[in-house]
Amino acid sequence: MKIIGSISVCILLISTFVSATPSVSAADPKLTPAERAEAIKMLKQSEKEFLDLVENLSDEQWNFKPAPFKWSVGETAEHIALAEGLLFGLVQQTLASKPNPDWETKTQGKEVVLEKVLAARTGRAQAPGAIQPMNKKMTRAEVMKLFKEGRERSLKFIETTDASFKDHTFDNPFPVFGTLNAYQWFIYIPQHNFRHNKQIAEVKANPKFPKS
């Protein structure tokens, strides 16, 4: 009887310990308030930086090319505007995909990679044909309209969406980025903007850049 009683006490103690131990739950795939705020901040900062760089340029400055095969300020601006539409579409496509059960492992730390590689303008990459400026030949007014409309749409979306962002993924064609979740694809928009803002600043710093 003593043995049975001891076993019963042990079982009771184990049961109590197990029930008192918090279970390890998966991370929440929805945006945190901090993530939403950071995305909004980056969109607004990259927009302001871009507009400060281009809005007061003359047509000669807008069209100046530092070399025959290098983009002008206008061409770079067109690329930024076109890319925002493409990237926003990729975000929607990613959100429409099935949740990836390995999203935490596949996408961990990619926000830092985007900042260090994309925004910092590390390395070079060939833009897809659909967002190559020479394929569109847009006017300056069309470029600015497209940019402002796209940015307004992006801001409105991230400010109001309740979508589950982080468990939906899509592979980036560049191996350095690999699998990105929908949030990371979204912040690709301002990070890409920051990247090409630097390119515009480089064009403007060229010794041959028109004075007015």
Side-chain angles (χ1 to χ4, degrees):
M1 292 296 292
K2 288 183 178 181
I3 294 175
I4 294 174
S6 297
I7 293 173
S8 298
V9 170
C10 288
I11 292 173
L12 178 62
L13 289 172
I14 291 170
S15 299
T16 302
F17 174 77
V18 170
S19 62
T21 303
S23 59
V24 178
S25 58
D28 188 347
K30 290 200 171 183
L31 296 182
T32 66
E35 287 168 335
R36 189 188 304 272
E38 181 64 16
I40 293 169
K41 177 183 174 183
M42 285 193 290
L43 285 172
K44 290 182 176 180
Q45 285 184 339
S46 60
E47 178 182 18
K48 183 181 185 305
E49 186 177 275
F50 171 73
L51 294 177
D52 287 347
L53 283 165
V54 306
E55 279 199 317
N56 295 320
L57 297 182
S58 67
D59 288 343
E60 186 179 2
Q61 291 170 325
W62 177 265
N63 293 309
F64 169 79
K65 293 172 72 74
F69 298 103
K70 288 186 178 290
W71 288 352
S72 65
V73 170
E75 288 170 331
T76 308
E78 183 175 332
H79 170 68
I80 292 170
L82 290 169
E84 181 142 358
L86 182 145
L87 290 166
F88 189 83
L90 276 173
V91 172
Q92 302 305 311
Q93 179 181 336
T94 304
L95 287 171
S97 66
K98 292 182 179 179
N100 182 347
D102 296 327
W103 68 269
E104 289 183 81
T105 302
K106 294 284 189 179
T107 65
Q108 186 176 13
K110 295 293 179 68
E111 293 89 350
V112 176
V113 177
L114 286 171
E115 182 178 0
K116 289 186 175 181
V117 177
L118 187 62
R121 205 158 179 255
T122 302
R124 293 290 183 268
Q126 182 70 31
I131 55 176
Q132 288 274 356
M134 61 283 296
N135 291 339
K136 293 290 182 180
K137 301 188 184 300
M138 298 172 67
T139 67
R140 181 174 181 174
E142 288 171 338
V143 169
M144 297 308 295
K145 182 174 184 289
L146 181 64
F147 173 80
K148 290 177 180 179
E149 288 177 348
R151 187 52 51 93
E152 183 180 359
R153 176 188 58 201
S154 297
L155 274 167
K156 183 177 181 180
F157 176 72
I158 199 64
E159 287 171 345
T160 59
T161 184
D162 192 38
S164 178
F165 268 74
K166 290 178 281 186
D167 57 344
H168 295 271
T169 65
F170 187 77
D171 289 347
N172 190 290
F174 298 113
V176 67
F177 300 128
T179 302
L180 299 178
N181 62 42
Y183 175 69
Q184 291 159 349
W185 274 113
F186 186 86
I187 63 172
Y188 207 102
I189 294 171
Q191 298 286 26
H192 178 266
N193 194 166
F194 281 129
R195 178 183 181 88
H196 288 288
N197 286 346
K198 290 181 174 64
Q199 184 176 355
I200 291 173
E202 288 173 9
V203 175
K204 293 179 68 175
N206 188 288
K208 296 181 180 179
F209 187 73
K211 300 300 182 184
S212 60

